[in-house]
Amino acid sequence: MGAPARASRLRAVAAVAVAVVVSGACWLAPTASAVQASQSRLVNAVPAADTPAVNDGVVYAIAQVGSRVILGGTFTSVSPAGDPGTTYSLHDALAFDATTGTIDTTGFLPTLNGRVSTVIAGPSPNEVYLGGAFTTVDGVAMNVALLDVRTGALVAGWDPPSLNGLVDKLVLADHRLFVGGRFTTAGSATHRGLVALDSASGALTSYVNLSFTGHHNYETKCDPSTAQCANGTTGVTSLDVNPAGNRMVVIGNFTDVSGQDRDQIVMLTLGKSSATVDASWDTLAYTSSCFSNGFDSYVRDVQFAPDGSYFVVAATGGIGTNSDGTNSSCDAAARFETAATGTNVRPVWIDYSGEDTISTIAVTGRAVYVGGHQRWLNNSLGLNVAAPGAVPRPGLAALSPVSGLPYTWDPGRNPRGAGVFALLATSTGLWVGSDTNWIGNGTYLRPRIAYFPLAGGESPPPERTPALPGRVYRAGAINGSSSTKERLAFREFNGKSVGASVSLRIGVDWSAVHGAFTVDGKVFYGGSDGFLYSRSFNGTTVGAPTKLDPYDDPAWDNVQTGSGQTYQGEAPTFLSEIPSVTSMFFEQGRLFYTMSGSSVMHWRWFEPESGIVGADEFTVSGSFDFSHVAGAFLAGDRLYFASSRNGKLGSVKWSDDRAVGTAALVSASTSWASHGLFLLSQSTNPTPPPKAAFSRNCGPGLTCQLKASRSVDPDGGAVRYRWEFGDHSSTVPRKSTAVSHRYTAGGRYRVKLTVTNTAGATASSSHVVKVRAATKKKTKKA
């Protein structure tokens, strides 16, 4: 995994229509039709059996319009599912029923004279757009077509301008059809790389008046007079519009967008009357040359998340170094935050294949599906081999949107061919288009088109981490007796008050643990053998251990890649560090840890669902000294840690993924130091609430004596009592059960007692007290 931008939170923010002020008037930004559907879980890893067989060529594009699926590509022959003996001569575009797989052999039969590269649903039901390398449709000159999916005929009134080059991408937004490609004119007008057409008629509009020019490599980063340089056509490779309809990301072979330096990627603002370059967004993440002898440009696909909060870019290209000194983003998928601004916006994460192409992506919110020619992922250190951290993911993978690390979803494709070129997520599943015949290692015959249904798919855990109040578990005391070193003990803790230590006999040698943390009801910890383990844990009972070794995959370890090796992965260097780990905690895709002899805190990406640890190690910024930490956990905005020097528990503010300010003493006990501290929330093991009862004795006069019935914390911790006297005055929580309060005037007052134990459990009761001012005795006159 590559170096990320510093981001403290990766929370999805729903994209909605945005009010924008233009020339003093307020207008409502339009919405865009998202190509990829939002999905709440992963799709099934077993493909459906009823998809037709595309017998030759490549499937480059997929769209679903109602109950029909439309494919675009370079094929010439198709057969029904399971019936290879029956073939139909269908060229470059075809339609079939999404449920039954029945091929349309009588209606949708357009005649095209070249490759179809992009297909999307049209502006009205039963309509579909096609774009590509073709120049005629049913004998009519055009390279962007709007067809009726039932008849295959051109929609009446469709009359687009002639583009003098390839069309690579179509996106529909606000009654505009954005067309990206490698052309320089639209009709008689100059338009380099991008135009906007009227969605119904195809007429050229003035909305886009930008020129995408300049070779990324040829004659810029590569001199053809002294080296072998790939010479590609300049223009737009792919683009996408966010759901709010006010931002567009464009990628391609260009270095200049209408006079502004933008290397292979640009963010556009979609205003009321025109599209303009967003001056507040630029990145140097794609400035590296990356195999200039083979690629003039290497960016391949871009997709926004369904909520618009981020987008992901796919690339080929090999290796290199960007102009800012960072590793290139070649042969990788990278996530960018839509709201980020700056002259060099960095990806939040980059997942590298190790010099294999990632051609296309589909972002569903629950996952980032990537398809291409890749053998491995999490392979940032690999140069055409599996390096430390690499996990096999032949040609297909599902990445966590938070960390970019692969989930366990791994259907694979062997042989991989040139790769996957089309991914389409719908409300019911995922369509995959490629140039190969098999899903899995020759397991499921699905020639060039496969469908993975949502039914039966996994719902990855939400990666919840515990919060206070709760129980803090000490795994193997460092400064204890030989028996306590092997035991697990806990104390109730609410951020301030600490309960007594309770020892548990669980049958695990906790003295062999190296750091521990909890996610989704599991405790993760480092073992003395250098591996991570996980166990279910409910606070008192621990499940059987699971060794986390996703780098050795029996399904792929001994399978030949076709490139001279097997798909065997390799464990990350983190495993060799585990025996030196002194603490661990997890926050939003990041595994933080301290090590013996190191004053800095380290972190790597981590995916609990798959057990994959990021290949790259990073350090936490700041000057806080972590060399004396012996167990730590994060709760809210505080990092709590035990000291190996004196065993006391301290805390420090945690903000933007680093310690801020100075440490504060939390507990002066000397028994916190351990091989691992981890937290379980109070809700996991709810403590019985304390008692809340009190007696009162008011008068004579304005003073009341109040005394609470003593409560006992189940773990022996301190119970605190807070009084509210009904006259707008109260006490802070205190250990004493008795209190005296003097009122300023007689009357009836409601007194409330709240009792809280160290686990945060509370109970309350209230009573009305009567207060009378003392009366003066009358003296008799002599």
Side-chain angles (χ1 to χ4, degrees):
M1 295 297 297
R6 302 306 300 167
S8 61
R9 295 291 182 269
L10 294 176
R11 295 193 178 101
V13 179
V16 296
V18 180
V20 182
V21 176
V22 179
S23 302
C26 185
W27 68 284
L28 195 63
T31 57
S33 300
V35 174
Q36 308 293 346
S38 176
Q39 296 176 347
S40 61
R41 60 183 184 273
L42 301 180
V43 296
N44 199 316
V46 177
D50 51 9
T51 48
V54 178
N55 297 319
D56 61 357
V58 182
V59 173
Y60 283 112
I62 309 170
Q64 184 165 343
V65 181
S67 62
R68 289 177 171 240
V69 174
I70 295 87
L71 304 183
T74 57
F75 45 82
T76 64
S77 173
V78 62
S79 298
D83 185 10
T86 300
T87 61
Y88 302 108
S89 179
L90 297 175
H91 292 254
D92 304 323
L94 64 87
F96 62 89
D97 187 275
T99 303
T100 65
T102 302
I103 303 165
D104 185 349
T105 59
T106 60
F108 188 79
L109 301 172
T111 300
L112 306 156
N113 68 338
R115 182 182 75 199
V116 175
S117 302
T118 175
V119 182
I120 63 171
S124 300
N126 298 314
E127 294 179 353
V128 64
Y129 291 111
L130 279 68
F134 59 86
T135 57
T136 63
V137 181
D138 294 337
V140 181
M142 66 179 66
N143 43 13
V144 177
L146 178 60
L147 306 180
D148 187 309
V149 297
R150 298 163 297 184
T151 66
L154 285 165
V155 172
W158 179 255
D159 186 19
S162 174
L163 305 174
N164 68 337
L166 303 178
V167 172
D168 287 312
K169 188 71 173 182
L170 301 173
V171 171
L172 179 63
D174 188 39
H175 308 294
R176 298 184 183 98
L177 179 65
F178 292 99
V179 182
R182 287 163 280 178
F183 49 81
T184 59
T185 61
S188 60
T190 298
H191 282 275
R192 297 180 180 273
L194 182 66
V195 295
L197 307 181
D198 180 271
S199 62
S201 69
L204 179 65
T205 74
S206 61
Y207 187 79
V208 173
N209 189 24
L210 300 169
S211 290
F212 295 78
T213 59
H215 291 266
H216 171 70
N217 278 328
Y218 190 78
E219 293 185 327
T220 55
K221 297 178 176 65
C222 186
D223 185 352
S225 66
T226 60
Q228 180 182 346
C229 307
N231 184 3
T233 307
T234 61
V236 171
T237 301
S238 187
L239 60 101
D240 200 20
V241 176
N242 68 334
N246 59 356
R247 309 289 292 279
M248 175 191 287
V249 178
V250 182
I251 63 172
N253 189 11
F254 54 83
T255 57
D256 183 282
V257 183
S258 294
Q260 300 192 53
D261 291 337
R262 293 294 188 275
D263 204 339
Q264 294 195 103
I265 183 169
V266 63
M267 178 80 78
L268 303 183
T269 298
L270 302 183
K272 182 177 181 180
S273 59
S274 65
T276 57
V277 174
D278 186 341
S280 69
W281 194 96
D282 194 10
T283 181
L284 303 178
Y286 296 95
T287 54
S288 173
S289 59
C290 284
F291 285 9
S292 59
N293 63 329
F295 302 101
D296 194 357
S297 172
Y298 50 80
V299 289
R300 291 295 178 263
D301 198 11
V302 60
Q303 283 286 327
F304 275 101
D307 69 359
S309 62
Y310 64 94
F311 59 90
V312 181
V313 179
T316 183
I319 59 171
T321 303
N322 293 316
S323 59
D324 62 354
T326 59
N327 288 337
S328 73
S329 306
C330 300
D331 281 333
R335 168 178 170 159
F336 293 83
E337 299 304 287
T338 305
T341 58
T343 57
N344 186 15
V345 176
R346 290 292 299 161
V348 173
W349 52 252
I350 310 177
D351 195 331
Y352 291 93
S353 67
E355 295 193 299
D356 282 332
T357 300
I358 297 177
S359 302
T360 186
I361 50 184
V363 186
T364 67
R366 178 68 276 184
V368 176
Y369 293 98
V370 297
H373 184 72
Q374 77 274 8
R375 290 162 287 181
W376 306 279
L377 287 172
N378 192 36
N379 195 24
S380 56
L381 307 177
L383 302 178
N384 206 33
V385 296
V391 291
R393 289 297 185 273
L396 272 177
L399 309 182
S400 162
V402 175
S403 68
L405 291 173
Y407 288 124
T408 55
W409 190 84
D410 185 19
R413 295 169 44 256
N414 189 46
R416 291 169 293 129
V420 170
F421 296 97
L423 291 172
L424 176 66
T426 70
S427 60
T428 59
L430 177 72
W431 294 95
V432 178
S434 71
D435 66 338
T436 56
N437 291 340
W438 296 92
I439 297 296
N441 181 27
T443 309
Y444 305 103
L445 182 61
R446 302 291 186 273
R448 293 168 177 79
I449 183 69
Y451 176 68
F452 296 90
L454 269 176
E458 177 200 359
S459 295
E463 298 185 6
R464 291 195 182 98
T465 52
L468 291 173
R471 291 179 176 179
V472 178
Y473 288 81
R474 187 178 74 251
I478 287 181
N479 299 317
S481 65
S482 58
S483 60
T484 60
K485 288 180 180 179
E486 298 178 359
R487 292 183 185 176
L488 191 67
F490 74 83
R491 289 182 169 190
E492 290 184 345
F493 182 51
N494 61 11
K496 295 180 179 180
S497 302
V498 177
S501 180
V502 178
S503 182
L504 301 174
R505 294 179 178 270
I506 291 184
V508 176
D509 183 4
W510 296 98
S511 66
V513 165
H514 298 274
F517 60 95
T518 47
V519 183
D520 293 324
K522 291 184 178 180
V523 57
F524 294 79
Y525 59 92
S528 57
D529 60 354
F531 278 93
L532 277 177
Y533 287 83
S534 70
R535 295 172 181 261
S536 61
F537 185 56
N538 62 8
T540 55
T541 304
V542 66
T546 298
K547 183 179 181 180
L548 305 184
D549 186 15
Y551 322 99
D552 294 304
D553 187 344
W556 294 103
D557 283 351
N558 298 314
V559 177
Q560 291 292 322
T561 67
S563 302
Q565 70 281 109
T566 70
Y567 287 106
Q568 173 73 51
E570 186 171 339
T573 54
F574 172 72
L575 271 60
S576 65
E577 296 176 326
I578 286 178
S580 300
V581 167
T582 57
S583 72
M584 295 185 197
F585 65 91
F586 176 83
E587 182 192 29
Q588 295 189 6
R590 292 172 168 88
L591 172 57
F592 295 87
Y593 55 100
T594 56
M595 292 193 294
S596 176
S598 176
S599 62
V600 299
M601 178 174 283
H602 308 260
W603 72 269
R604 295 177 186 246
W605 294 109
F606 177 65
E607 176 45 54
E609 186 268 352
S610 62
I612 296 173
V613 178
D616 297 301
E617 181 177 62
F618 309 100
T619 56
V620 172
S621 62
S623 58
F624 196 86
D625 182 5
F626 291 98
S627 61
H628 59 92
V629 171
F633 65 93
L634 184 69
D637 64 352
R638 302 293 295 184
L639 175 64
Y640 298 86
F641 59 90
S643 171
S644 61
R645 298 169 181 168
N646 54 29
K648 296 179 181 180
L649 184 69
S651 76
V652 65
K653 183 176 177 59
W654 186 258
S655 178
D656 292 329
D657 300 323
R658 64 190 181 95
V660 179
T662 57
L665 178 65
V666 176
S667 173
S669 167
T670 59
S671 60
W672 289 96
S674 62
H675 291 273
L677 287 179
F678 61 90
L679 174 67
L680 285 187
S681 296
Q682 163 68 13
S683 58
T684 304
N685 294 97
T687 300
K691 297 178 181 179
F694 64 93
S695 60
R696 60 272 191 202
N697 183 13
C698 297
L702 300 175
T703 300
C704 284
Q705 305 295 331
L706 307 170
K707 186 172 183 179
S709 301
R710 181 172 295 278
S711 290
V712 178
D713 195 319
D715 70 354
V719 177
R720 298 182 182 273
Y721 305 85
R722 181 177 185 271
W723 300 89
E724 297 172 62
F725 300 110
D727 60 352
H728 304 293
S729 63
S730 61
T731 68
V732 297
R734 57 178 66 185
K735 294 182 180 180
S736 173
T737 59
V739 66
S740 176
H741 182 69
R742 180 176 177 81
Y743 292 89
T744 58
R748 297 167 63 88
Y749 299 91
R750 180 170 292 277
V751 177
K752 182 180 179 180
L753 168 67
T754 300
V755 185
T756 306
N757 61 23
T758 53
T762 64
S764 300
S765 66
S766 61
H767 297 287
V768 174
V769 298
K770 296 179 180 180
V771 180
R772 294 186 179 90
T775 57
K776 294 182 179 180
K777 293 182 179 181
K778 295 181 179 180
T779 56
K780 295 180 180 180
K781 293 182 179 181

